[in-house]
Amino acid sequence: MSKGTQTLAEDGQAAAPEAYGSGAHPYTTSRVEMGGASARVSQSYPFSAAGKLFFSVDGYSYVCSGSLIGPGIVVTAAHCVAEWGARRIYRDFQFVPAYRAGEARYGVWSAARIDLTSGYLNGTDNCAFDGVVCDDDVAIITLAPKQDPETGATYYAGHNTGWFGYGWGDFGFANTPIGPMAQITQLGYPVALDRGERMQRTDSMGVRDVNSAGNHVIGSLQTGGSSGGPWLLNFGSMPKLEAGIAKGYDATPNTVVGVTSWGWIDSRVKQQGASAFTSDNIVPLVDSACARTPAACM
């Protein structure tokens, strides 16, 4: 449910195959800004709804990624906001949508409240390892609103950046002979790519992996820092269809169906996973946040 062209490489060489690691899972990962220093693609929708998350743990600074699924509602990974099983929430959250090399075109936004499942917080969530490859590595951050100095009206980040939709229950995943599959676009700020200063995009086929607690898995070059970044279906600006051309199934554009949760320690594998969005995690988390702060969702 849910609320190709080909070019030749330079110098006349044949186009190279897609990158893949020892996990044999094809993907393409590239910087969102494909132009020069003046390019600002990441600051235009739909990219602008994704951003970088800063927070502190025991006085040390850490980073993750996240995205807006409402004007003031950020979805990220639970391990980016809390320690699994320790019943403690991290501190000093700041979300910067469309972050780019130190720029905060749409401002820096503080957290008003954090929501995650009780199972993840108290350590009873079903995980393949302690806090890793889990059913519910998903969290919601409700942002604190700001006030327009001229009008006095309150507003949220998404009123300027736009926001994504979200889906659950294998929304957009087609049943195939090898299991549910969907084309995924992943956005994030992995520290090992451009030092985490530029938004990165990965496109890969997402599959449900029964050997990874039923998590969705993609091929990806992204690394630490990408955690919490959105996994999107039908990404981009949809074209206008001529008469007689129908959309495919589950065609809602820019729909988040998971967030980056984990990757292999062995960097040669080049796969990452996400807890699937379900009616037991993303739905009650968003419903609770929106019931408490309706303006953040409208």
Side-chain angles (χ1 to χ4, degrees), residues 18-206:
E18 290 182 305
Y20 62 92
S22 61
H25 199 146
Y27 66 87
T28 55
T29 295
S30 60
R31 181 191 295 170
V32 167
E33 250 85 48
M34 300 298 286
S38 62
R40 294 293 187 277
V41 176
S42 62
Q43 296 177 347
S44 300
Y45 189 82
F47 296 101
S48 57
K52 192 168 182 175
L53 181 66
F54 299 82
F55 58 100
S56 64
V57 183
D58 297 330
Y60 293 93
S61 298
Y62 289 84
V63 294
C64 273
S65 302
S67 62
L68 289 155
I69 55 173
I73 302 293
V74 174
V75 64
T76 188
H79 77 262
C80 292
V81 304
E83 182 178 352
W84 182 82
R87 299 178 181 271
R88 70 160 178 164
I89 304 293
Y90 301 142
R91 301 170 57 90
D92 307 321
F93 294 98
Q94 292 186 318
F95 179 68
V96 184
Y99 176 88
R100 182 190 184 280
E103 296 178 2
R105 176 178 178 181
Y106 298 108
V108 178
W109 297 80
S110 299
R113 184 180 172 96
I114 306 295
D115 286 290
L116 66 161
T117 67
S118 59
Y120 193 92
L121 191 61
N122 64 30
T124 61
D125 190 30
N126 178 45
C127 301
F129 310 98
D130 288 352
V132 183
V133 193
C134 300
D135 284 347
D136 301 312
D137 190 8
V138 180
I140 294 295
I141 301 173
T142 302
L143 300 177
K146 295 184 179 182
Q147 188 174 49
D148 188 302
E150 296 183 359
T151 66
T154 58
Y155 67 100
Y156 289 95
H159 290 130
N160 292 323
T161 64
W163 59 88
F164 300 134
Y166 63 97
W168 63 94
D170 279 344
F171 174 81
F173 278 72
N175 289 320
T176 75
I178 62 172
M181 300 179 66
Q183 178 63 38
I184 298 291
T185 296
Q186 172 198 32
L187 301 177
Y189 290 87
V191 176
L193 306 184
D194 290 324
R195 299 183 177 180
E197 291 297 298
R198 301 291 183 92
M199 187 186 296
Q200 309 293 331
R201 170 179 177 169
T202 294
D203 292 284
S204 179
M205 185 62 67

